[in-house]
Amino acid sequence: MTELRLLHADAGLLVIDKPSGLLCQPGLGPALADSLLTRLLPDWPSARLVHRLDRDASGLMLVALDAELHRALSRLFAERRILKLYRADVAGAPQAA
């Protein structure tokens, strides 16, 4: 797992600290092939993303290792029953309009 911090692993779930600048899943073409998912698949071939973060965002990612848990967690995200917290680090102050 090059450059990924594994925070939790059990039989059904991984929690990964995704760095900024990394896609969650591969895009089209070789320039966009590197992603969180492609880095995980060699060690966890059943890995399925439960949700996504933008490439430039860093944060915790849930990755299901079996289809049943993937469906259950995806449903909870779709129903907005999982609380997501966002924090922005900014430099400076906005200018008055």
Side-chain angles (χ1 to χ4, degrees):
M1 276 194 336
T2 308
E3 301 176 30
L4 294 179
R5 279 187 48 218
L6 176 64
L7 301 178
H8 173 84
D10 62 34
L13 181 70
L14 303 175
V15 179
I16 307 291
D17 186 4
K18 184 191 94 59
S20 174
L22 181 66
L23 291 167
C24 288
Q25 61 190 22
L28 297 175
L32 300 176
D34 187 28
S35 71
L36 176 85
L37 187 58
T38 55
R39 292 183 187 189
L40 292 175
L41 287 175
D43 294 316
W44 290 281
S46 64
R48 298 178 72 181
L49 298 177
V50 175
H51 62 101
R52 294 186 303 256
L53 290 173
D54 290 340
R55 177 187 355 206
D56 294 330
S58 61
L60 301 183
M61 294 286 305
L62 300 179
V63 180
L65 299 177
D66 68 65
E68 184 177 342
L69 182 59
H70 182 261
R71 279 191 298 277
L73 290 172
S74 295
R75 188 176 323 110
L76 291 173
F77 270 92
E79 294 170 355
R80 303 201 186 286
R81 294 177 58 196
I82 291 182
L83 176 65
K84 297 182 281 186
L85 298 175
Y86 296 90
R87 185 183 89 192
D89 293 329
V90 297
Q95 295 183 3

